[in-house]
């Protein structure tokens, strides 16, 4: 499998997992932020430097799930 296809599949899996976690973000932003931290750490170890727990909570509270997803994916790229 080419590197490009592998990267695309990995990105798609990450987006799906993030959307699944963000679905209940407004109900429980703190738990969602913890889950996102764990998920991002598994997919990208550098994400700990990009996203703090408090940043994720603030993001979840202030943005829609689509906006959160766009911001997270943009920072990771």
């Amino acid at each position: 499998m080419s590197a490009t296809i592998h990267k695309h599949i990995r990105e798609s899996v990450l987006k799906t997992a993030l959307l699944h976690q963000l679905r209940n973000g407004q109900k429980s932003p703190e738990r969602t932020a913890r889950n996102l931290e764990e998920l991002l750490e598994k997919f990208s170890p550098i994400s700990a430097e990009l996203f703090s727990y408090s940043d994720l909570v603030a993001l979840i509270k202030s943005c829609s799930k689509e906006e959160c997803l766009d911001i997270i994916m943009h920072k990771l790229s």
Side-chain angles (χ1 to χ4, degrees), residues 4-73:
T4 304
I5 293 173
H6 185 264
K7 182 180 177 190
H8 179 72
I9 290 171
R10 185 171 167 81
E11 184 177 294
S12 294
V13 169
L14 176 59
K15 282 183 179 181
T16 302
L18 288 171
L19 276 175
H20 178 73
Q21 291 298 323
L22 288 166
R23 185 177 45 185
N24 294 319
Q26 296 303 319
K27 293 179 189 172
S28 180
E30 292 81 10
R31 182 178 65 207
T32 301
R34 281 193 307 273
N35 292 343
L36 287 178
E37 266 187 320
E38 291 175 13
L39 179 64
L40 289 168
E41 181 65 31
K42 288 179 183 177
F43 271 87
S44 177
I46 195 169
S47 66
E49 298 172 16
L50 300 173
F51 303 100
S52 69
Y53 171 77
S54 57
D55 291 341
L56 289 170
V57 171
L59 185 67
I60 292 164
K61 287 183 176 182
S62 65
C63 299
S64 71
K65 65 182 174 184
E66 291 82 9
E67 291 171 324
C68 288
L69 178 63
D70 288 343
I71 291 167
I72 291 169
M73 293 308 293

